[in-house]
Amino acid sequence: MRFLSIIIAAIFCTFPVSAATPASDDSYIAGYAAAILKFQFGIDLPSLTVRNGNITLPADKLPAEDRTRITQLFSEIPGVTRVEIVEYTAQQPSLASPEPDEAIVDKGALATRSTMLATGPLPEGHLFKPLLADPRWNHFSAAYRNYVGRNVDGNHNGSVSFGETIPFYRANIGQSIVQWEVGLQAGIFSDFNLGASSTDLINTDFIGGIYTSVRAGNASAFARIYHQSSHLGDEFLLRKLTDIERINLSYEAADLRLSYEFPYGIRVYGGGGGVFRKEPSAIKPWSAQYGIEFRSPWQMEFALVRPVFAVDIKNYEQNNWNADISARAGIQFDNFQAFNRKLQFLLEYFNGYSPTGQFFREKVEYLGIGAHYHY
């Protein structure tokens, strides 16, 4: 557990707490937005609210024909990270005391009509939200995993990932609420045998590529072209030299995922991909992926946390389309964040062919717990 403790401590120390926009900046944004409404659209809107760069507008106060243009203009205000025009299916909570956008579901179910993020180079946020249960989604994490029955190398493993999805540029498409962005996604995934005397490195996967994403309201899409290569650890090879078949796993691939977000924090997604350059050449190219997520719109009153739950399923032609099931559930800390990323502590379960690159032909099952830093 020494290794895991060090990694978790590093996560806490590395990321600063709260990178929220100062209240003075929110006041500037609110004044700027109110002026746009007043002088360009002739609308006086005292219920306009801004918190941490997020603008929330009530749908019933805005003419339907002007909402798209208003949302687009607000997204271009310096300091704005998100613009939402919302309506409520039940009694509307007071907008005089705004709360974070995820928590505005207290007296009624929130239905988002329009959502736009800031545009320009190196913008904040992502048009396509991360896949919480995907074992190979690039982000920062540290986890302990206990393998049930057959294992890759030891029953007690540590797993860490270092990676990020970085948007380089975001823009609106014409006069619509549709936005697009292009950027880089890269990550390193390493697994360690915590039962070995020197906490041996088992395997490291390197993933990197370029992506583009599109969002229109609650619908989003994510496409990328990427490279992955996998490498066994030196200590592992020395111990397993007589009974391990090392392969030079390296390939380039492309994939596409579509996502839709429903009310009450429910999201579904699906897609697939294919490998177009591979080593070894016998690897079959096609794969499918789909899943469901729940990010609670309700925040627990005794602490700034909310429940999250996700299930991710992958099917690979290489493994006769058998399902690899990854499930994670836990809590998200809303007051521990930087760069709009939030800390999550998640229990996890996996059953299927190993996501660890060199062992993709090995069937494994494990339970674990980990810390994750997600947008």
Side-chain angles (χ1 to χ4, degrees), residues 21-329:
T21 304
S24 59
D25 290 349
D26 287 345
S27 299
Y28 162 79
I29 292 170
Y32 200 143
I36 290 176
L37 290 176
K38 177 68 174 179
F39 295 106
Q40 294 197 32
F41 299 93
I43 300 173
D44 284 313
L45 191 61
S47 56
L48 181 151
T49 63
V50 182
R51 185 177 178 84
N52 299 337
N54 298 332
I55 301 178
T56 303
L57 302 165
D60 60 343
K61 302 297 184 182
L62 303 177
E65 64 273 14
D66 293 331
R67 291 174 187 171
T68 298
R69 183 58 179 161
I70 289 171
T71 305
Q72 185 181 56
L73 288 174
F74 282 10
S75 71
E76 297 171 353
I77 296 175
V80 169
T81 57
R82 177 178 299 177
V83 181
E84 290 187 323
I85 298 177
V86 301
E87 64 180 0
Y88 298 85
T89 59
Q91 180 180 354
Q92 180 175 331
S94 171
L95 289 174
S97 300
E99 297 183 12
D101 56 326
E102 299 93 337
I104 310 178
V105 183
D106 193 16
K107 300 180 181 178
L110 180 66
T112 302
R113 295 291 301 272
S114 300
T115 301
M116 296 185 75
L117 301 183
T119 58
L122 297 176
E124 292 189 13
H126 297 114
L127 297 182
F128 188 89
K129 292 183 178 179
L131 304 182
L132 299 182
D134 184 347
R136 283 299 180 265
W137 188 267
N138 298 281
H139 70 294
F140 289 89
S141 71
Y144 164 76
R145 293 170 179 170
N146 179 262
Y147 281 77
V148 180
R150 189 175 183 181
N151 60 74
V152 170
D153 185 37
N155 292 98
H156 303 285
N157 284 183
S159 179
V160 297
S161 67
F162 303 89
E164 189 54 276
T165 301
I166 304 174
F168 287 159
Y169 187 80
R170 181 183 300 136
N172 303 317
I173 297 181
Q175 302 300 312
S176 69
I177 65 169
V178 182
Q179 294 184 292
W180 65 271
E181 71 184 27
V182 63
L184 170 71
Q185 188 179 63
I188 300 173
F189 299 83
S190 294
D191 295 274
F192 299 83
N193 183 350
L194 300 180
S197 58
S198 59
T199 315
D200 296 351
L201 173 65
I202 301 171
N203 178 87
T204 296
D205 294 335
F206 297 89
I207 301 175
I210 57 174
Y211 80 91
T212 183
S213 57
V214 178
R215 186 177 188 91
N218 292 338
S220 58
F222 182 93
R224 65 174 177 170
I225 298 176
Y226 67 98
H227 165 85
Q228 176 171 338
S229 60
S230 300
H231 307 271
L232 293 172
D234 292 341
E235 297 94 340
F236 176 85
L237 283 173
L238 289 174
R239 287 188 293 104
K240 298 285 187 176
L241 192 58
T242 58
D243 58 356
I244 187 68
E245 178 190 356
R246 180 191 176 278
I247 60 175
N248 185 30
L249 181 63
S250 176
Y251 60 84
E252 277 75 52
D255 55 21
L256 169 68
R257 302 176 185 92
L258 306 177
S259 167
Y260 190 83
E261 296 162 30
F262 294 93
Y264 299 102
I266 298 172
R267 175 200 190 193
V268 296
Y269 62 87
V275 176
F276 57 83
R277 192 208 67 83
K278 54 191 177 179
E279 188 177 349
S281 59
I283 295 176
K284 297 179 181 179
W286 302 111
S287 64
Q289 181 179 11
Y290 45 97
I292 185 170
E293 297 177 348
F294 172 70
R295 293 174 170 87
S296 174
W298 297 280
Q299 191 177 67
M300 297 179 183
E301 293 184 1
F302 63 88
L304 296 178
V305 300
R306 69 185 68 248
V308 295
F309 172 78
V311 176
D312 179 83
I313 302 174
K314 293 181 180 180
N315 305 88
Y316 290 94
E317 181 186 11
Q318 172 67 31
N319 298 323
N320 298 318
W321 300 107
N322 290 313
D324 299 339
I325 301 173
S326 173
R328 291 175 179 172

